[in-house]
Amino acid sequence: MSALVHALTVVSETKTTFTAPDINYYAIAPILIIFGAAVVSVLVEAFVPRGGRRPTQLVLVIGSVLAALAVVIDLRGTRLITGEGAIAIDGPSLLMQGTLLVIALLAALLMAERSIDPLGDAFAPRASALPGSDDEQEFTRRGYLQTEIWPFFLFALTGMLVFPAANDLLIMFVALEVMSLPLYLLAGMARRRRLLSQEAALKYFLLGAFSSAFFLYGAAMLYGYSGSVSLVAIADTLSAKPSEGSLVAIGMALVIVGLLFKVAAVPFHQWTPDVYQGAPTPVTGFMAATVKIAAFGALLRLLYVGLGGMRWDWVPMLWIIAILTMLVGSIIAITQTDIKRMLAYSSIAQAGFILIGVVSVSRQGLASSMFYLIAYAFTTIGAFAVVSMVRDASGEATHLSKWAGLGKKSPLVAAVFSLFMLALAGIPLTSGFIGKFGVFSAAIESGATWLVIVGVVASVIAAFFYVRVIVLMYFSDPTPDTASVVVPSAFTTIALAAGATVTIVLGVVPQPVLELVNQADVFIR
């Protein structure tokens, strides 16, 4: 008994010290603003009356995104590591965060649209109601709108902002999950074709869970190798123990697989066509544009900062994946008869082109990859804005046969969509041409000439299905089945105009953005 009392006395007299982590809160203010807005958005759903939720949520979402964007602009030129080494704020992360916020703002405008669908917006009146049930019909009759989408939107955006700035594998995994889980739910909330939407959400969730498991298992192996989850510590361990590479090689492969799933690279692309087709079109546009930016940002930081010492191991692997991604995406897109599935395979092919810049492993490759991501994001959000406007009596008319003669019924909308198709094909005087020229130049400079040749061949193949849509719209006569274009509100109009304007400007006067991505410099260590 006396020994126990003595031990307790010793413990009570022992002073424990706690050192507060060194966090630069202003440097991570964009993330905190969006996360705080997401929490407030949940409270709005709980306490604000139904009639006031939509305007409150829109003010909250747009205000928080603009505030975060203002902070990102003010942080330009900042290069620091904060959060005890967990978050890196540098040129590439700030550039990608700024692009994410701008694209998210345009996507929010698409999600807020209520003038296109006569039943309201693109989302189910009550996600918990069974498709076709009496409850769903009653909610529709009452004109209920799904305002729960906004907390999901903000939480997903929070994860996206953290993803390219994550400087250790643990934070990267947390960002991956915070980004992904809300998107799984948003994909299943379509107002029309509910069963297809819910099927898409389930597939996205199941395959996403596999990718997360791969990432987590790979991170555990890299931790076992280096004794740390920090990318800098992993890089230092690679330099100190270059011969002990088997464990780190397996861990590296698993982590890369988890990230390649998010960018929809072959053979980890199986979820993409079904999810793009089944999800509400505004969510598809949001997901297609922003997830690629966030995931490629994380992939670039992982490869360039943490695994640069294993370049000769992962470059050949990414060569193969880039070739498969470009060819599979381009070839299978030719066979598609649904416009959203065609854009899904187009997205897969675009991921392959961006990977060409990644495998260049140079400052020029990094800059060209970021420019490509910016160009692709604006083009994609504009393309899906057009898709949401082309409708028939059953809702969105996504079958290609219903686009026949659209150029004669709605020449302006058809011209804008043709612009987006030409940009995705990489035709000169569009942003897509400058993007492809940049990644091809970086690859040639790094000695990957054969990869560029495959990219050119894939571009020629891809041009076929892009031009096929243009020919269908302009060189076919309208039929009774030809869809109509619904006049949208200012929300969709602004998003569409922004996408078209940036697509043209980056193709004609790309120099300001090229200077911006070059000034972003390289990743900080």
Side-chain angles (χ1 to χ4, degrees):
M1 186 67 179
S2 58
L4 178 61
V5 172
H6 176 71
L8 292 174
T9 302
V10 171
V11 170
S12 64
E13 292 177 352
T14 302
K15 295 182 179 179
T16 58
T17 59
F18 173 75
T19 302
D22 181 20
I23 301 177
N24 187 324
Y25 287 100
Y26 188 70
I28 61 173
I31 300 170
L32 297 178
I33 289 171
I34 299 299
F35 178 70
V39 174
V40 174
S41 183
V42 174
L43 298 178
V44 168
E45 290 300 310
F47 297 107
V48 175
R50 180 179 297 277
R53 290 177 192 169
R54 183 176 184 273
T56 304
Q57 294 282 26
L58 287 178
V59 170
L60 179 63
V61 169
I62 295 174
S64 62
V65 171
L66 290 175
L69 181 60
V71 176
V72 169
I73 294 172
D74 188 56
L75 285 170
R76 65 188 184 280
T78 302
R79 289 178 60 83
L80 60 88
I81 294 179
T82 186
E84 297 297 310
I87 299 292
I89 303 299
D90 50 24
S93 65
L94 290 172
L95 182 63
M96 293 183 201
Q97 286 179 344
T99 307
L100 284 168
L101 290 167
V102 174
I103 297 299
L105 182 60
L106 300 181
L109 296 178
L110 293 182
M111 293 170 69
E113 178 63 59
R114 293 179 60 183
S115 300
I116 292 178
D117 195 318
L119 297 179
D121 55 17
F123 300 93
R126 180 66 64 86
S128 59
L130 293 175
S133 65
D134 293 338
D135 287 343
E136 183 181 53
Q137 295 175 14
E138 178 64 19
F139 293 136
T140 301
R141 187 186 64 81
R142 295 185 181 185
Y144 282 9
L145 295 176
Q146 187 74 264
T147 54
E148 291 89 342
I149 60 173
W150 299 114
F152 295 146
F153 174 86
L154 289 171
F155 278 118
L157 182 56
T158 300
M160 292 173 188
L161 294 178
V162 176
F163 217 14
N167 203 42
D168 71 41
L169 296 176
L170 184 59
I171 295 298
M172 197 174 288
F173 177 74
V174 172
L176 173 69
E177 293 304 299
V178 173
M179 175 185 74
S180 300
L181 292 175
L183 292 177
Y184 301 152
L185 295 170
L186 287 172
M189 290 187 175
R191 179 180 290 274
R192 299 176 184 268
R193 296 191 291 183
R194 289 284 312 284
L195 291 176
L196 183 65
S197 178
Q198 291 179 353
E199 178 187 352
L202 183 60
K203 289 179 179 178
Y204 194 16
F205 168 70
L206 291 176
L207 292 176
F210 277 110
S211 74
S212 298
F214 277 119
F215 184 96
L216 194 58
Y217 191 25
M221 299 188 77
L222 290 176
Y223 175 78
Y225 168 79
S226 63
S228 174
V229 292
S230 169
L231 297 183
V232 177
I234 292 171
D236 292 340
T237 306
L238 283 172
S239 300
K241 299 187 295 183
S243 60
E244 302 177 19
S246 58
L247 182 63
V248 71
I250 298 173
M252 173 196 71
L254 292 174
V255 170
I256 292 175
V257 165
L259 295 178
L260 290 176
F261 173 89
K262 292 301 177 185
V263 305
V266 176
F268 317 107
H269 67 290
Q270 293 90 342
W271 61 274
T272 312
D274 292 332
V275 174
Y276 276 42
Q277 183 183 20
T281 299
V283 173
T284 305
F286 172 58
M287 183 169 51
T290 55
V291 171
K292 263 195 174 44
I293 297 173
F296 265 112
L299 180 65
L300 284 164
R301 187 175 295 277
L302 172 70
L303 296 178
Y304 284 25
V305 176
L307 301 175
M310 296 197 68
R311 169 184 173 181
W312 304 115
D313 294 292
W314 55 259
V315 165
M317 179 177 68
L318 290 186
W319 260 63
I320 297 172
I321 292 173
I323 292 172
L324 289 175
T325 303
M326 289 185 291
L327 293 178
V328 169
S330 300
I331 293 172
I332 299 183
I334 296 175
T335 66
Q336 301 305 307
T337 58
D338 185 276
I339 193 72
K340 290 175 75 174
R341 292 184 71 88
M342 189 204 76
L343 289 173
Y345 282 104
S346 166
S347 171
I348 293 168
Q350 301 298 327
F353 295 126
I354 299 170
L355 282 172
I356 294 178
V358 175
V359 300
S360 301
V361 197
S362 64
R363 181 170 179 171
Q364 183 183 356
L366 174 61
S368 61
S369 297
M370 292 191 293
F371 181 91
Y372 202 123
L373 288 168
I374 295 171
Y376 168 79
F378 280 96
T379 301
T380 299
I381 203 73
F384 281 104
V386 174
V387 171
S388 69
M389 295 163 53
V390 180
R391 309 180 74 85
D392 57 16
S394 62
E396 292 173 353
T398 58
H399 197 279
L400 283 177
S401 62
K402 297 186 178 182
W403 289 58
L406 193 67
K408 298 177 181 179
K409 290 186 66 175
S410 302
L412 179 59
V413 172
V416 173
F417 194 73
S418 298
L419 169 66
F420 295 137
M421 293 295 97
L422 294 175
L424 291 173
I427 302 301
L429 298 182
T430 65
S431 60
F433 172 77
I434 303 299
K436 284 186 178 178
F437 182 81
V439 295
F440 288 170
S441 299
I444 291 174
E445 188 174 307
S446 66
T449 305
W450 283 105
L451 188 58
V452 174
I453 293 174
V454 176
V456 172
V457 172
S459 297
V460 173
I461 297 173
F464 173 81
F465 62 83
Y466 293 127
V467 174
R468 180 182 64 169
V469 178
I470 300 174
V471 170
L472 186 67
M473 291 191 296
Y474 283 101
F475 295 93
S476 299
D477 293 324
T479 68
D481 293 332
T482 300
S484 300
V485 175
V486 179
V487 178
S489 69
F491 288 143
T492 299
T493 303
I494 292 172
L496 182 58
T501 301
V502 174
T503 299
I504 295 173
V505 169
L506 292 185
V508 178
V509 192
Q511 198 58 37
V513 178
L514 288 174
E515 291 178 357
L516 183 65
V517 295
N518 283 314
Q519 290 171 2
D521 205 4
V522 295
F523 293 110
I524 190 174
R525 291 188 76 245

